[in-house]
Amino acid sequence: MPETPLWASHTSRLRQRDICRPSQQRTSEMAAAAAGETWCRETVPRVMELVSPRLPQRDACALLSLSPWCHRALTANPKLWEVLDLHETKKAGEQLISALSLARYRHLKVVNLEFAQDIDDWHFLHLKEMGTIFLEELEFLNLNACQRISDKGIEAVTSLCPNLRALSIYWIVGLTDASIEHIVKNCKKIMDLNLSGCKNISDRGIQLVADNYQELKKLDITRCIKLTDDALQEVLQKCSALESLNLYALSSFTDKAYTKIGYLTSLTFLDLCGAQNLTDDGLTCISRCGSLTYLNLTW
């Protein structure tokens, strides 16, 4: 009879030990597994609920793929997905379309695309053509320095967010009065409008702002160099609820307009840096703004 190899004998003893393993040990292992399951099901969601509001959104998105429990816990927190922050990101247009196709972003309140790269009219036109994207709860849209967006892009994106309250289109130099037409037509509730650096907006565009946003609280027309006293007067007379007015680097205005700033009884912030034509008479009228807490008269 052939002799049994040593490795076979050793394997046999291991199997025998496994078979004879005490049931108490197996029960302990099952209990540990159940405890781990409970921890994932109950503790992880509570931890995520506490931690997620303090996380940058990009970190929260990275945690989605960590485990099914993390994914469920994070997506179940609607507050976490009220902001879509794509500022300074590459391929932002593609990311925007992908994000807005997800159910968790249906209640967005803020979209930040400031200095985002690779985004243009096509992305906004595509969102509009999809027919399934409606940002009815969006309150703030930041498109600062998205230079590849034109009047067509502004028309498309504003048509998706009728309840917008704040819009910033700083340094999109190709925009014209046509963009203002689209904004006032599609977004009736604007309270904060930043047109800084939009050098092709003229008196006609600002007239539209004055006629349609008489409850406006904040207006920034820094470096809108085509504007004249006539346009500014219209704003000052019709938008009397203004609390913040930025006229930085607009040297063409004169006391003809500056004297009307005194109408703004709620004004707290006024930037007149570079106002080379402001005289004592204009400044005397401005001094009637009793709520003013910040005034910049530097050159």
Side-chain angles (χ1 to χ4, degrees), residues 36-66:
E37 181 78 7
T38 301
W39 188 88
C40 289
R41 186 177 62 253
E42 299 179 3
T43 306
V44 168
R46 288 200 294 269
V47 171
M48 288 296 105
E49 184 177 359
L50 293 172
V51 173
S52 59
R54 297 170 175 81
L55 290 175
Q57 191 178 65
R58 295 177 190 182
D59 292 344
C61 290
L63 285 174
L64 287 172
S65 58
L66 188 62

Side-chain angles (χ1 to χ4, degrees), residues 235-274:
V235 169
L236 297 175
Q237 291 170 344
K238 295 181 179 179
C239 302
S240 58
L242 276 171
E243 297 174 358
S244 175
L245 179 60
N246 198 328
L247 305 176
Y248 182 93
L250 292 170
S251 59
S252 61
F253 292 147
T254 70
D255 279 351
K256 179 181 178 182
Y258 291 139
T259 55
K260 305 299 189 298
I261 294 177
Y263 295 155
L264 306 178
T265 57
S266 299
L267 194 68
T268 61
F269 177 98
L270 178 60
D271 194 334
L272 294 175
C273 180

